Amino acid sequence: FAPDRIHREECIRGVVAFYVDRFPTNFNKATEMIDFCGIMNESYQKPCFQEVGRVLQTRWRLHSREIISACAQVNDDIYRNLCIGVSF
């Protein structure tokens, strides 16, 4: 149990990063990361989708076209853009 919001957000980011560490060459795991963010309480979806976009770009080093394709699975426009890397 994470005692406050900051710690909970860090925990969520850690789960997303786990996918990259555990499956370093399986880019299909992006779907599972996105599904994970989708089941989060709405107040934690923003940092979750931002982290997905960050790891797709910096850890898996996907190109823009691949990131857009992976993030296209996100139903909400705002969260999709956060996943792609567009900040609001």
Side-chain angles (χ1 to χ4, degrees):
F1 172 72
D4 59 31
R5 181 174 181 81
I6 292 172
H7 291 101
R8 288 184 194 125
E9 287 181 8
E10 283 303 311
C11 185
I12 290 165
R13 287 185 184 99
V15 171
V16 171
F18 164 80
Y19 280 99
V20 179
D21 294 337
R22 178 74 173 91
F23 308 102
T25 59
N26 189 347
F27 307 125
N28 293 325
K29 292 296 178 179
T31 299
E32 292 181 24
M33 292 188 297
I34 289 168
D35 289 346
F36 171 74
C37 292
I39 64 169
M40 288 288 101
N41 179 298
E42 188 174 349
S43 63
Y44 294 106
Q45 287 185 356
K46 179 179 177 179
C48 192
F49 284 116
Q50 285 174 319
E51 185 68 7
V52 170
R54 189 188 72 75
V55 300
L56 291 177
Q57 183 177 26
T58 63
R59 306 268 306 270
W60 271 341
R61 302 194 187 286
L62 298 183
H63 297 286
S64 297
R65 163 179 82 255
E66 296 165 315
I67 294 170
I68 290 169
S69 177
C71 295
Q73 303 168 60
V74 179
N75 293 326
D76 183 277
D77 290 341
I78 292 173
Y79 295 137
R80 183 181 318 111
N81 286 333
L82 289 171
C83 180
I84 292 169
V86 179
S87 297
F88 291 96

